[in-house]
Amino acid sequence: MKRSQYAVIGLGRFGSSLAQELINLGYEVLGIDKDEEAVEEMSNILTHVVVADSTDEEVLRALGIRNFDCAIVSIGDDIQSSILTAILLKDIGVKMVVTKALSELHGKVLNKIGVDRVIYPERDMGIRVAHQLVSPNLLDYIELSKDYTIAELVVPRRLAGRSLRELDPRAKYGCSVVAINKQHGVIIAPTASDTLEEKDVMVIIGTNDQIELFQNEVIGRVTA
């Protein structure tokens, strides 16, 4: 089976970190940057690297960018280059274009030109860290959309031995436990009879309000 191929345009801190993680996950990655030093640093890590101007349509076509499954535009602080690169990628016919936005206005422009996904690394990380600070049992918090969230919650000692049937998160709070990460492995789509142990990690999906209510009422207030 052919492995998916990714192109990461802009090899700054975010772009290089993302590209390296894609390599770690087993994918082929082309790294593109105008900065020779940035390209040199990634030359022994990525599948291919090239010094190039991503705002030059002929250069992108020569690189065969249209054949990549996904192109991620992670250009640092040049909004004009970011937007122009995204437009060219869409025009050339890249299957999926993901672009890093530097501001809400930048993101709105990217959405207007038809980018498949806009990401806000700094903003999203700030949101996740804030939630983790105020909720010690929260390992991770990912906003799936404006309304829906997926969260990883550590099971406290007072919930050890309780079953999902007892907690009944779907009926009581409207959210669903979609997985339980235990020391001996992960239970996907757990049943009502599955029992929780201290330090298990529950993966929960629901609206922002449902997740918050579940955290407050179950994780923070349930007593033995």
Side-chain angles (χ1 to χ4, degrees), residues 139-182:
L139 287 185
D140 205 354
Y141 173 95
I142 301 172
E143 200 173 67
L144 299 176
S145 69
K146 185 174 69 176
D147 300 314
Y148 283 87
T149 293
I150 187 165
E152 292 184 345
L153 294 165
V154 179
V155 175
R157 180 181 301 175
R158 61 178 169 273
L159 291 185
R162 303 287 181 92
S163 68
L164 291 183
R165 180 179 289 107
E166 291 177 78
L167 297 183
D168 205 4
R170 190 167 187 80
K172 293 180 180 177
Y173 308 99
C175 52
S176 300
V177 178
V178 295
I180 303 173
N181 193 349
K182 293 179 170 288

Side-chain angles (χ1 to χ4, degrees), residues 60-223:
L60 292 178
R61 290 188 181 277
L63 289 171
I65 202 77
R66 187 177 185 277
N67 299 319
F68 283 78
D69 299 286
C70 177
I72 302 103
V73 182
S74 57
I75 294 172
D77 56 2
D78 189 339
I79 291 179
Q80 183 175 332
S81 292
S82 167
I83 293 170
L84 183 53
T85 299
I87 291 172
L88 290 175
L89 292 171
K90 294 299 294 182
D91 283 347
I92 289 170
V94 177
K95 296 173 188 174
M96 183 172 186
V97 178
V98 177
T99 307
K100 170 187 172 181
L102 303 176
S103 65
E104 292 291 337
L105 181 58
H106 183 195
K108 286 181 180 179
V109 173
L110 293 169
N111 280 319
K112 289 287 187 183
I113 63 176
V115 165
D116 297 284
R117 183 178 176 187
V118 178
I119 54 177
Y120 301 84
E122 290 84 1
R123 184 201 68 181
D124 293 349
M125 181 55 70
I127 291 171
R128 291 165 73 175
V129 170
H131 280 271
Q132 290 165 354
L133 288 173
V134 300
S135 304
N137 288 90
L138 180 67
L139 287 185
D140 205 354
Y141 173 95
I142 301 172
E143 200 173 67
L144 299 176
S145 69
K146 185 174 69 176
D147 300 314
Y148 283 87
T149 293
I150 187 165
E152 292 184 345
L153 294 165
V154 179
V155 175
R157 180 181 301 175
R158 61 178 169 273
L159 291 185
R162 303 287 181 92
S163 68
L164 291 183
R165 180 179 289 107
E166 291 177 78
L167 297 183
D168 205 4
R170 190 167 187 80
K172 293 180 180 177
Y173 308 99
C175 52
S176 300
V177 178
V178 295
I180 303 173
N181 193 349
K182 293 179 170 288
Q183 289 185 346
H184 54 75
V186 179
I187 301 174
I188 303 296
T191 65
S193 61
D194 282 308
T195 302
L196 299 172
E197 302 169 30
E198 184 182 0
K199 295 185 179 178
D200 282 354
V201 176
M202 290 186 288
V203 181
I204 304 173
I205 188 169
T207 66
N208 301 330
D209 290 340
Q210 290 166 349
I211 296 288
E212 183 177 359
L213 183 62
F214 182 82
Q215 281 183 246
N216 291 338
E217 297 294 333
V218 178
I219 301 300
R221 298 179 188 173
V222 171
T223 57

